[in-house]
Amino acid sequence: MSDAGPLVLLIEDEPQMRRFLRAALESHGYRFVEATTAREGLAQATSRTPDVILLDLGLPDGDGLDLARRIREWTTTPIVVISARGKEQDKVAALDTGADDYLTKPFGTEELLARLRVALRHAARAAAGDDPVFVAGDLRVDLPARRVFVGNDEVHLTPTEYKLLTALVHDAGKVLTHRQLLRAVWGPNAVEHTHYLRVYMTQLRHKLERDPTRPRHLQTEPGVGYRLKLE
Amino acid sequence: MSDAGPLVLLIEDEPQMRRFLRAALESHGYRFVEATTAREGLAQATSRTPDVILLDLGLPDGDGLDLARRIREWTTTPIVVISARGKEQDKVAALDTGADDYLTKPFGTEELLARLRVALRHAARAAAGDDPVFVAGDLRVDLPARRVFVGNDEVHLTPTEYKLLTALVHDAGKVLTHRQLLRAVWGPNAVEHTHYLRVYMTQLRHKLERDPTRPRHLQTEPGVGYRLKLE
DNA sequence: ATAACTCTTGATGAATTCTTGATGCCGGAG
DNA sequence: CTCCGGCATCAAGAATTCATCAAGAGTTAT
């Protein structure tokens, strides 16, 4: 966080609300970027890496929740949702999707700013060691771009392969049990299908390891699970 | 990762609201402690180290905000404020004092629970960085990552070896009887198979001790059991 | 509708781990 | 001094868990 003020990404399509928010932020030393669609919002989130994201759920293209989910795939940047819908169900859905706070319109400037401060407080505390690009040896996983490289070559992963890899990246260095991985990739109902894991680990190794027989990154912990080796 | 459910400290004096919250939490697998005064709340916060604190601002003795401030002096445990006062000014004051969320009465059970989940998510992420690691001399056991080091070298343990070691770590310094260890590792049916213990203690010593003949960590208590020496 | 890609599932040999018995050591008791 | 019980160690077969190949089912894109 530079001394130029925290950077807020504002994803909002209504011009009136945008003007209101712009005024509130500007007068309090925040820098901000704007986006008026979900697509644009996602692009800005990846390219500008804001300190906090202010997201209106009622966007013209696609669901705001979907956007939140997409963003949460690779970053923990706080998302503060603002919405006209005040139903409890809406709040629960947004918060469980990964939003960190939920404000119902209309709301006061001061409350908005206070909740933004809370979000930034959290972000500051969590910021240490939160690199959206994982690197270990010749392996590089770019979460925001959803791309994977070995050396200089990009490798294509299927959706399942990628999910498995991100699960490992998320707790890189730690041992993840079979159950943990299965739950993360195939959902809570597949917790017993250990065989899936074996098949996909072999495929991942064939794509990511120089010598799949002697894995340097994707290590198996016999009787326990797997882990992604750091360094 | 205890499966007993997160521990909530509930600081609330109104009996009716307390009953409501108790029901909401209980039916969702939370454990909780209660306090009805600020003084008691502070005491519980320090002694029980809850995962999240649910704080009503309208306490009989002293200001709830004061309590929040006192708690924030030494811990970042999430504080979710619930209050009858819905003025913007109140919210701002609470949030800036260190509260992580602010709910105005009346509120729905589902929203409360969702916001609790958010708070716990934050706490979990904040805690993820620093693993509680057991250390004794050159022996280091990182339980969350399931990794064991001797000096700077990581050693690989089989599931059974690791279970045995964690049983000893769990009561480090104390003597564990043969029966206790056998029950912990092999289950209640193997309580007689003392031989298992000998075999695995030998293996553990070979992996963890500089000189397996003269163990510095894994000490045998003749006729009783074994213990992991602290230091 | 077709083709290309992805996921699921079964079969098989390889690798690791667990169990079990045999053997030797040491100190105390007879 | 010798025997005995508790302990440590070694090693081999049994049991479990893994890696890998391949084929058919299911999906998605064109």
Side-chain angles (χ1 to χ4, degrees):
Chain A
M1 221 183 298
S2 73
D3 54 4
L7 180 63
V8 182
L9 169 57
L10 186 55
I11 309 178
E12 164 70 76
D13 64 318
E14 294 173 43
Q16 189 181 342
M17 177 61 73
R18 216 160 61 226
R19 217 172 314 124
F20 165 71
L21 294 171
R22 213 181 316 190
L25 294 174
E26 210 157 40
S27 62
H28 285 77
Y30 290 94
R31 297 171 301 140
F32 61 91
V33 210
E34 297 186 14
T36 56
T37 65
R39 164 186 299 275
E40 197 187 337
L42 184 58
Q44 297 278 29
T46 63
S47 65
R48 304 296 297 272
T49 60
D51 298 303
V52 59
I53 297 170
L54 211 48
L55 170 63
D56 185 346
L57 282 190
L59 294 175
D61 65 329
D63 190 3
L65 281 192
D66 238 40
L67 175 55
R69 197 174 297 116
R70 290 291 301 279
I71 292 173
R72 269 292 166 275
E73 284 178 10
W74 57 273
T75 181
T76 58
T77 305
I79 300 176
V80 176
V81 163
I82 54 186
S83 167
R85 286 175 287 183
K87 286 228 188 81
E88 193 170 9
Q89 204 177 350
D90 295 316
K91 300 185 190 176
V92 172
L95 294 171
D96 279 342
T97 295
D100 296 281
D101 207 339
Y102 191 108
L103 275 164
T104 306
K105 301 178 193 175
F107 48 82
T109 308
E110 290 309 318
E111 178 175 359
L112 169 68
L113 291 169
R115 289 190 182 271
L116 272 186
R117 284 193 291 274
V118 171
L120 288 165
R121 216 160 59 204
H122 287 156
R125 196 150 47 81
D130 223 25
D131 194 346
V133 179
F134 172 86
V135 180
D138 60 354
L139 175 65
R140 200 163 93 250
V141 184
D142 187 336
L143 282 315
R146 220 188 153 93
R147 302 171 83 182
V148 179
F149 300 84
V150 173
N152 290 328
D153 308 317
E154 176 165 10
V155 287
H156 172 81
L157 299 185
T158 72
T160 305
E161 288 165 358
Y162 185 77
K163 249 199 233 169
L164 177 55
L165 179 59
T166 51
L168 288 163
V169 166
H170 187 262
D171 283 305
K174 295 188 180 182
V175 177
L176 292 176
T177 66
H178 297 131
R179 302 179 70 87
Q180 287 178 312
L181 288 170
L182 285 163
R183 179 149 22 83
V185 178
W186 283 273
N189 299 328
V191 173
E192 307 289 331
H193 298 205
T194 317
H195 189 44
Y196 287 11
L197 264 185
R198 306 228 171 82
V199 173
Y200 274 90
M201 284 304 294
T202 354
Q203 289 177 190
L204 265 185
R205 279 172 177 156
H206 272 278
K207 291 185 176 183
L208 304 181
E209 300 278 1
R210 300 290 188 197
D211 177 5
T213 306
R214 205 162 247 291
R216 298 178 50 204
H217 304 301
L218 302 169
Q219 304 207 317
T220 134
E221 297 282 334
V224 186
Y226 297 87
R227 75 189 168 106
L228 180 56
K229 201 175 179 186
L230 288 170
E231 173 207 21
Chain B
M1 206 190 306
S2 90
D3 50 6
L7 181 64
V8 181
L9 170 56
L10 186 53
I11 309 178
E12 164 69 78
D13 65 317
E14 295 173 40
Q16 189 179 344
M17 177 61 73
R18 217 161 59 224
R19 217 172 314 125
F20 166 71
L21 294 171
R22 213 181 318 189
L25 294 174
E26 209 156 43
S27 61
H28 284 76
Y30 291 93
R31 297 172 299 141
F32 59 91
V33 209
E34 297 186 14
T36 56
T37 64
R39 161 186 299 276
E40 196 187 338
L42 185 58
Q44 296 280 29
T46 61
S47 65
R48 304 294 299 272
T49 61
D51 298 303
V52 59
I53 297 170
L54 210 48
L55 170 63
D56 185 346
L57 283 191
L59 294 175
D61 63 332
D63 189 4
L65 280 192
D66 232 44
L67 175 54
R69 197 173 296 117
R70 297 282 300 277
I71 292 174
R72 268 292 165 276
E73 285 174 7
W74 57 274
T75 180
T76 58
T77 306
I79 300 177
V80 176
V81 163
I82 54 186
S83 165
R85 287 174 285 183
K87 286 229 189 80
E88 194 169 7
Q89 202 177 352
D90 296 316
K91 298 185 189 177
V92 172
L95 293 171
D96 280 342
T97 296
D100 296 281
D101 207 340
Y102 190 107
L103 273 164
T104 306
K105 301 180 193 175
F107 49 81
T109 309
E110 291 308 318
E111 178 174 358
L112 169 68
L113 290 169
R115 290 188 181 270
L116 272 185
R117 285 193 291 273
V118 171
L120 287 166
R121 216 159 60 205
H122 287 156
R125 196 152 48 77
D130 36 272
D131 285 353
V133 177
F134 172 87
V135 179
D138 60 354
L139 176 65
R140 209 162 84 243
V141 184
D142 185 339
L143 295 176
R146 199 202 177 274
R147 301 174 77 178
V148 179
F149 300 83
V150 173
N152 289 328
D153 307 318
E154 179 166 8
V155 288
H156 174 86
L157 298 186
T158 71
T160 305
E161 289 164 358
Y162 186 77
K163 251 199 238 168
L164 177 55
L165 179 59
T166 52
L168 289 162
V169 166
H170 187 263
D171 285 304
K174 300 181 184 175
V175 179
L176 291 175
T177 66
H178 296 136
R179 302 180 69 87
Q180 286 178 313
L181 288 169
L182 285 163
R183 179 150 20 85
V185 178
W186 283 272
N189 300 327
V191 175
E192 307 291 332
H193 299 201
T194 318
H195 187 45
Y196 287 8
L197 264 185
R198 305 229 170 82
V199 173
Y200 274 91
M201 284 305 291
T202 310
Q203 290 177 190
L204 264 186
R205 280 171 177 155
H206 272 276
K207 291 185 175 182
L208 304 182
E209 300 280 1
R210 301 288 188 198
D211 178 5
T213 307
R214 199 155 328 106
R216 298 176 50 201
H217 304 301
L218 302 169
Q219 304 208 317
T220 134
E221 298 283 336
V224 186
Y226 298 88
R227 76 190 171 98
L228 180 58
K229 199 176 178 185
L230 288 171
E231 176 198 4

